Amino acid sequence: MPTPQPASHAPSAVSYRVEVADLHAHLFRVTLTIAQPAATQRVSLPVWIPGSYLVREFSKNLQLLQARQGKRAVPLLQLDKNTWEATATPAKPLVLSCEVYANDASVRTAWLDAARGFFNGTSLFLRVHGQEDAPHSLELTTSPATASWSVATGLQAVAVDAAGFGHYRAASYDELVDCPVEMGTFWSGEFKAGGVPHRFVVAGAPPAFDGARLLADTKAICETEIRFWHANKQAGKPPYAHYLFMLNAVDDGYGGLEHRNSTVLICNRRDLPRLGDADAKKPAISAKSTAPTKRSEGYTTLLGLISHEYFHTWNVKRLRPAEFTRYQYDAEQYTRLLWFFEGFTSYFDDLLLRRAGLLDNTAYLKLLNKTINQVQQTPGRLVQSVADASMDAWVKYYRQDENTPNATVSYYTKGALVALCFDLTLRGEGQTTLDDVMRALWLRCQAGPMAEADFAAVLAELGGRSFHAEIQAWVHGTGELPLKDLLAGHGVTVHEDPAQLAQRLGLRVAESQGLQVKVVLRGGAAEQAGFAAGDEWLGVEVAQGKQTSGWRMSKLDDLLLYAGQQRQVTALVARDKRLLRLALNLPTVASTSTWRLAAENPRAVSAWLEPAKS
């Protein structure tokens, strides 16, 4: 719980008060006071939140915006979708008030109901133009309806009660909106890592939740990542005085968003660690252990998410694209470097779970195997480079449709494989590792703006040669990555197994209510037959000598049952209330494959995956 603070506090140039207007209507009331407004004062609400590259139009949830000075109402002129202008008297405080509808349970916006309140500042706080770098303050108020609630936030407390309600401050607007707020009757636990206090709060945790285990595993992650970034004395101490994890456990959900000294997470509550699990009291495996760790797949995924978002504390919140030197909240802010900031983070998140002792080598290779197959089964990898995918995030990654796998590649997954290629190449040449490159970039850029040229320069300096060809091929090109050869050089053999039927056909389907075609992959048998996304696959007709038999299908595997030895069938498809007959050639089992990684040389694998000896 927050430590009660002294009651006095100095007013800020820009101050906000947040209170509950109506729990059941999901409405926050926000009051903004500008101590010394400009004669023509503009304010605006962000259209996006850093870390999630999509214009989300937060102003759509704002209502009843009014302004006054003393008892005088001040007219507000709306200039565009998210900007307003007030003609004010500079000598008097300008007070604006509004309501904000908060009914989005994601990590990106705001939520309010009778059980929980949550918000990111980008959803609630109007930006005061011209005063972004002035001190900002926030007052969180309580009410009889929220009397049992507590508060968790990364903001610096100034005068708060035992539950955390009261006054907070921030050095700037950037800092204010980069510290989300959780309110409710959440579970809370604490630990220290690297000498720094860490707090973990969980909303929606079921009675079986094992909080002690989550704290122990998260502490192992944090200590490992602090050692990773601050192995050299020149790197200094962790770049925060305290850190907060905010997790919302729901029936069905997954995601996270990084902030400067906190992160917001969402997970399926079934994936939380449970009291009474057989391995609940076991310590994390040692660096030398090869015994498998008993963790559910869902919990392992949650630990990977925690590792990913915590790694962002360094890689994107401090060391960041040069284009993000100053956030521009009113429009898209483009960079070609998300393959580095998201992709490389996606490489290290699971790798550092291994180094924290939360995975063994076999479990790590299984996760890597999954990433490789995701990329290999995406035709868009041969169409779009990861640099272009970074640039297109605003219109493609966050706006996925049935053609996304054919036209795009994920800068998360392929970016992770690019990091893998650089790491294994550097290790194979014996000069350095990607670990050393990351730490050198942290020092070179002074934990600040970074360009691709910085990455290239550090690679050349530590690697002893130019890596221009690799950057052009792997980052800016669309050719296949040299994964097999690089993995083989570090003790991992790639076996190619027959692909599942959907992949062989070039389809992605849903079987919950009939057989629905979701995606038709480029160049596959289904595309050649004329299938389209949105089709309902009803059944097949199969020739048997001079006879033709028709069969109703309820799931994709029925196709093999009814086709028998025939290599061509007629697919019966419903599209736009029309019935179609499509000639489908069935590919052989050997036509496509999935990769299976195997550690053929455990010593070489351990040299790559396990922590370096101090």
Side-chain angles (χ1 to χ4, degrees):
M1 302 292 289
T3 302
Q5 303 293 319
S8 62
H9 61 280
S12 296
V14 181
S15 59
Y16 302 81
R17 183 173 72 249
V18 174
E19 53 194 318
V20 170
D22 191 324
L23 287 172
H24 301 302
H26 315 289
L27 292 173
F28 284 111
R29 181 176 294 109
V30 182
T31 304
L32 162 62
T33 301
I34 308 170
Q36 295 184 338
T40 304
Q41 181 64 64
R42 290 189 178 184
V43 296
S44 63
L45 197 66
V47 303
W48 69 289
I49 181 169
S52 184
Y53 307 102
L54 178 68
V55 172
R56 298 185 183 275
E57 310 294 18
F58 298 130
S59 60
K60 68 182 180 182
N61 294 318
L62 186 150
Q63 61 191 45
L64 298 178
L65 179 60
Q66 300 174 345
R68 59 183 172 81
Q69 286 190 297
K71 296 182 179 180
R72 182 178 72 88
V74 175
L76 285 171
L77 175 64
Q78 185 167 1
L79 301 180
D80 55 34
K81 63 185 179 182
N82 68 313
T83 308
W84 293 262
E85 185 175 87
T87 302
T89 302
K92 295 183 178 180
L94 176 65
V95 179
L96 296 92
S97 63
C98 66
E99 291 179 345
V100 176
Y101 180 67
N103 196 34
D104 184 339
S106 77
V107 299
R108 298 175 294 265
T109 51
W111 172 268
L112 181 65
D113 67 2
R116 172 179 178 258
F118 167 80
F119 63 84
N120 287 287
T122 45
S123 291
L124 265 66
F125 300 144
L126 290 161
R127 177 169 62 92
V128 180
H129 291 213
Q131 300 195 42
E132 292 90 344
D133 294 327
H136 285 54
S137 63
L138 170 63
E139 180 186 3
L140 299 174
T141 67
T142 188
S143 68
T146 60
S148 64
W149 286 13
S150 297
V151 171
T153 179
L155 285 168
Q156 182 179 357
V158 176
V160 301
D161 63 20
F165 287 98
H167 295 269
Y168 294 84
R169 67 184 174 196
S172 64
Y173 182 81
D174 281 350
E175 181 179 332
L176 177 73
V177 300
D178 206 12
C179 295
V181 174
E182 175 77 29
M183 299 183 290
T185 54
F186 45 73
W187 175 91
S188 179
E190 298 178 354
F191 62 87
K192 280 191 175 182
V196 178
H198 289 64
R199 185 185 184 193
F200 209 128
V201 302
V202 182
F209 167 55
D210 187 346
R213 186 178 179 203
L214 180 64
L215 286 181
D217 289 346
T218 302
K219 178 178 180 179
I221 293 169
C222 295
E223 289 178 335
T224 299
E225 297 198 3
I226 290 171
R227 286 195 299 269
F228 176 91
W229 286 103
H230 299 279
N232 300 324
K233 291 183 179 180
Q234 303 96 307
K237 297 180 179 180
Y240 46 85
H242 51 86
Y243 194 90
L244 172 66
F245 294 94
M246 292 173 274
L247 172 61
N248 184 26
V250 298
D251 181 64
D252 185 20
Y254 175 80
L257 189 62
E258 69 277 1
H259 297 278
R260 63 179 57 202
N261 65 347
S262 63
T263 187
V264 184
L265 311 164
I266 187 169
C267 78
N268 185 321
R269 61 177 64 97
R270 297 174 185 83
D271 294 338
L272 291 171
R274 303 185 188 188
L275 294 168
D277 280 357
D279 62 332
K281 295 182 180 181
K282 291 182 180 180
I285 62 173
S286 70
K288 295 182 179 179
S289 174
T290 57
T293 304
K294 295 180 181 178
R295 284 181 174 81
S296 71
E297 183 176 342
Y299 183 46
T300 298
T301 300
L302 173 59
L303 292 178
L305 178 65
I306 291 169
S307 178
H308 183 99
E309 303 303 337
Y310 194 66
F311 197 83
H312 272 319
T313 309
W314 293 266
N315 194 42
V316 92
K317 295 310 297 182
R318 271 85 179 178
L319 184 65
R320 61 190 183 275
E323 296 87 349
F324 293 174
T325 300
R326 185 80 187 235
Y327 287 124
Q328 305 298 324
Y329 295 100
D330 294 328
E332 298 91 337
Q333 200 163 358
Y334 296 98
T335 177
R336 294 185 181 275
L337 288 174
L338 295 182
W339 57 268
F340 179 90
F341 290 99
E342 292 293 355
F344 280 40
T345 299
S346 296
Y347 172 62
F348 281 108
D349 54 20
D350 289 337
L351 181 58
L352 292 175
L353 288 186
R354 170 63 193 98
R355 295 184 188 171
L358 301 176
L359 297 175
D360 60 15
N361 292 348
T362 300
Y364 173 78
L365 289 178
K366 182 179 179 180
L367 293 174
L368 177 60
N369 204 150
K370 181 178 179 180
T371 299
I372 290 174
N373 281 326
Q374 285 178 337
V375 175
Q376 291 295 105
Q377 294 169 8
T378 302
R381 76 188 188 282
L382 305 176
V383 176
Q384 185 185 53
S385 71
V386 287
D388 288 343
S390 303
M391 194 72 172
D392 285 340
W394 297 90
V395 294
K396 292 187 177 181
Y397 185 81
Y398 287 94
R399 299 181 187 273
Q400 297 193 15
D401 58 26
E402 71 283 352
N403 192 49
T404 294
N406 295 320
T408 71
V409 69
S410 168
Y411 49 77
Y412 283 90
T413 53
K414 189 176 178 183
L417 299 185
V418 170
L420 170 69
C421 288
F422 276 114
D423 197 14
L424 297 187
T425 298
L426 293 169
R427 290 173 182 272
E429 295 180 2
Q431 297 295 314
T432 188
T433 69
L434 193 59
D435 299 23
D436 294 326
V437 169
M438 300 299 287
R439 287 189 282 264
L441 282 167
W442 176 261
L443 295 175
R444 174 188 175 92
C445 300
Q446 296 298 304
M450 183 196 115
E452 184 181 302
D454 294 305
F455 177 61
V458 170
L459 280 175
E461 178 183 349
L462 299 186
R465 67 172 179 85
S466 170
F467 284 80
H468 175 77
E470 286 86 350
I471 292 173
Q472 289 303 116
W474 302 344
V475 174
H476 297 280
T478 58
E480 300 285 18
L481 297 173
L483 294 169
K484 285 186 179 180
D485 290 342
L486 289 172
L487 287 167
H490 289 79
V492 179
T493 298
V494 175
H495 299 279
E496 296 196 33
D497 296 332
Q500 297 294 315
L501 178 58
Q503 187 65 25
R504 299 205 305 269
L505 293 171
L507 283 176
R508 295 181 184 174
V509 299
E511 299 178 339
S512 57
Q513 294 181 337
L515 189 56
Q516 301 289 331
V517 176
K518 295 298 183 182
V519 173
V520 179
L521 296 176
R522 186 71 69 242
E527 183 185 59
Q528 293 169 6
F531 278 84
D535 286 350
E536 181 182 4
W537 194 347
L538 302 174
V540 291
E541 292 179 343
V542 182
Q544 295 176 309
K546 295 181 179 181
Q547 301 291 324
T548 299
S549 58
W551 303 90
R552 184 76 163 89
M553 292 171 53
S554 59
K555 55 185 179 180
L556 191 59
D557 284 346
D558 289 344
L559 176 62
L560 299 179
L561 174 66
Y562 299 134
Q565 299 299 311
Q566 299 298 317
R567 304 316 307 163
Q568 186 181 75
V569 300
T570 299
L572 305 177
V573 170
R575 182 186 304 164
D576 191 30
K577 303 300 182 181
R578 295 180 298 138
L579 296 178
L580 305 177
R581 301 172 77 249
L582 307 177
L584 174 63
N585 293 312
L586 301 183
T588 64
V589 172
S591 61
T592 55
S593 64
T594 58
W595 286 19
R596 176 170 48 86
L597 306 185
E600 300 293 346
N601 184 339
R603 180 176 296 180
V605 173
S606 295
W608 159 34
L609 296 182
E610 294 179 6
K613 295 181 180 180
S614 58

